Amino acid sequence: MPPTPSAARRAPRIAVIGGGIGGLTLALALRRHGLRADIYEQAAELAEIGAAVALSANATRELERLGLGAALAAVSTEPTELIFRDGRSGARVAAFPVRDGGAYRERFAAPYYGVHRADLQKVLGGALAGEGLHLGHRLAALDQRGDAMALTFENGAEVEADLVIGGDGVRSVVRRWITGGDKVRYSGTSAFRGVVPMGLLPSLPDPQAIQFWMGPEAHLLHYAIGGEADSVNFFAVVEGPETWTSDRWLAGIARAEHRAGFAGWHPAVIEMLDALPQSQRWGLFVTDPLRRWHRGRAVLMGDSAHAMLPHHGQGANTTIEDAVTLAELLAELPAAGGARDLDRMMRRYQGLRQRRTRTIQRSAWATNRLLHLPDTAGPEALARRDARMARFPEDFGWIHAFDARATALEAAAGGSRTA
């Protein structure tokens, strides 16, 4: 899309720290408005860690608007249903059609996909075609000098930018500069994960559904991924360990430790956990709610601002929302705008994003408690849990229905009338 006349008159130097899903989406969304972003990624090559990601309508509608719909569909699986199961008996507690009958698309006007992170990265990176991407740049320090931000990288490079956007994850260097400290907290839960070929899971019912298996102090989430739906991504979450002593995301485990939280569970669960060698667990970390997302000419997005438990599958989705929101607000800045206009934009961005992401964060904590409800809670509590799962579309449809671009455009229009 050609740049709008207002966008063509200005050329702010925008530095994005982090070349993950958020950084790449932001660069593509800015390019739609004729704005360029330089992305500084610490890795030597663009390779996403982790296994897979579930993209709900609040993200896929934005990616389709960026022209990525066909490429994304080609590498994704649209789940047949969403199913909640008892982890031990395997009985269906609640189920809702997704692909079946076109139910999800009809309700939310966009698809739900399971996709390998590497494939999503390729779709985003391929669309960007390397424009403004700087690999091997790990941020060491940043400082504001007058109206500019000075960035220093571990490889010795030094650059200046009019605006720095920190999309550098849970252990964000940009966040530490903005807040003056580290706001990361271990959740008290950890996970085992993997991508399993479908042929290794003969006991798995409804293999192309996205499914939660629930039980005391643990749950298993899985969904099919890939254009051929030939693999299953799983994420098995357990309570503990009580403390996390490693300074890394990963910690080694003893042989068969991954099974301990799932003793007596359905054969399909054990089959999935044992399909791949398990030698480590992932600590699940969150960011405490931040009072400010910006300082000077630096602002946060994605996990650097609101890392959350993954039990609504919204980490990547809310990051994409952040990116689209920032792009729309930046595109509406006055051509001759200065520090005051930029500060107003960042305050508006925080106002648009803070409440929603905090609400999803809190809901993910509550969902963890429901999924891990112990038998000692009693039959009435378990029945209330099952009833809550049966209301999933009514209780959580607001997450998927959200339209980030429309919300940002409405805010920008309102702001331009009152500024």
Side-chain angles (χ1 to χ4, degrees):
M1 176 180 292
T4 62
S6 61
R9 291 198 302 271
R10 64 176 182 271
R13 296 170 299 174
I14 300 171
V16 180
I17 309 302
I21 293 170
L24 295 173
T25 301
L26 176 59
L28 292 170
L30 286 169
R31 190 170 68 180
R32 177 171 60 185
H33 295 289
L35 298 174
R36 173 188 166 97
D38 282 291
I39 302 174
Y40 297 94
E41 165 58 40
Q42 64 183 11
E45 60 178 343
L46 215 55
E48 266 284 3
I49 63 171
V53 61
L55 293 176
S56 47
N58 45 313
T60 57
R61 72 167 52 87
E62 303 301 345
L63 297 177
E64 288 183 341
R65 285 166 173 165
L66 292 173
L68 306 178
L72 186 59
V75 295
S76 301
T77 297
E78 195 170 359
T80 52
E81 298 176 88
L82 166 64
I83 303 173
F84 292 92
R85 293 184 184 273
D86 182 282
R88 289 169 290 192
S89 71
R92 286 181 170 223
V93 172
F96 314 97
V98 180
R99 183 180 75 205
D100 290 352
Y104 186 88
R105 288 178 184 251
E106 181 177 353
R107 177 167 184 171
F108 298 111
Y112 193 109
Y113 286 143
V115 59
H116 198 291
R117 281 184 177 268
D119 289 334
L120 176 58
Q121 189 100 332
K122 288 176 184 176
V123 169
L124 294 168
L128 191 62
E131 181 181 339
L133 181 61
H134 308 273
L135 299 174
H137 282 66
R138 181 188 294 270
L139 184 64
L142 68 163
D143 188 29
Q144 185 159 349
R145 299 174 185 171
D147 289 337
M149 295 296 296
L151 305 174
T152 304
F153 297 91
E154 290 186 2
N155 63 7
E158 297 182 1
V159 300
E160 284 193 346
D162 301 311
L163 176 65
V164 173
I165 299 171
D168 48 341
V170 177
R171 292 195 167 104
S172 168
V173 176
V174 181
R175 184 185 62 244
R176 288 199 294 272
W177 186 83
I178 289 173
T179 65
D182 201 348
K183 303 295 183 181
V184 178
R185 178 159 54 101
Y186 170 55
S187 68
T189 59
S190 58
F192 309 98
R193 66 195 308 175
V195 175
V196 181
M198 193 72 79
L200 297 180
L201 303 171
S203 301
L204 181 63
D206 304 297
Q208 289 195 29
I210 179 169
Q211 304 192 55
F212 286 88
W213 300 68
M214 306 177 293
E217 300 190 340
H219 79 273
L220 172 74
L221 163 68
H222 64 82
Y223 49 89
I225 62 173
E228 303 299 324
D230 53 2
S231 298
V232 172
N233 175 73
F234 76 85
F235 198 73
V237 180
V238 296
E239 296 293 320
E242 289 187 8
T243 60
W244 191 268
T245 56
S246 173
D247 61 355
R248 301 175 62 244
W249 304 112
L250 300 173
I253 61 171
R255 187 167 181 257
E257 187 176 341
H258 64 289
R259 275 183 169 214
F262 299 92
W265 284 47
H266 191 276
V269 172
I270 306 303
E271 188 176 76
M272 191 172 298
L273 290 169
D274 283 349
L276 301 172
Q278 294 286 336
S279 60
Q280 54 195 9
R281 67 168 80 221
W282 294 70
L284 301 185
F285 290 80
V286 298
T287 51
D288 287 328
L290 304 181
R291 185 177 64 86
R292 284 179 61 89
W293 288 22
H294 60 93
R295 171 190 167 198
R297 292 204 164 196
V299 66
L300 300 172
M301 65 177 290
D303 283 350
S304 64
H306 50 72
M308 58 187 67
L309 290 174
H311 309 327
H312 284 313
Q314 287 300 309
N317 294 293
T318 52
T319 298
I320 290 169
E321 291 177 9
D322 289 349
V324 168
T325 302
L326 275 169
E328 295 302 328
L329 296 180
L330 281 166
E332 294 297 325
L333 282 176
R340 183 175 299 177
D341 293 305
L342 192 59
D343 186 65
R344 185 182 296 117
M345 183 279 296
M346 289 190 287
R347 283 188 280 111
R348 185 172 294 152
Y349 163 71
Q350 179 175 329
L352 287 173
R353 301 300 303 147
Q354 188 176 49
R355 181 177 180 181
R356 174 172 166 81
T357 54
R358 281 187 180 180
T359 302
I360 297 173
Q361 280 181 307
R362 287 195 297 267
S363 182
W365 279 103
T367 299
N368 185 84
R369 291 190 292 272
L370 285 174
L371 294 172
H372 294 190
L373 198 65
D375 294 338
T376 53
E380 291 184 1
L382 290 168
R384 286 195 298 271
R385 179 203 67 184
D386 294 350
R388 182 72 183 272
M389 296 309 173
R391 298 197 307 271
F392 186 89
E394 291 76 20
D395 288 353
F396 300 112
W398 59 271
I399 296 177
H400 301 237
F402 183 75
D403 190 319
R405 182 167 184 258
T407 301
L409 288 172
E410 181 180 353
S416 65
R417 288 194 297 268
T418 60

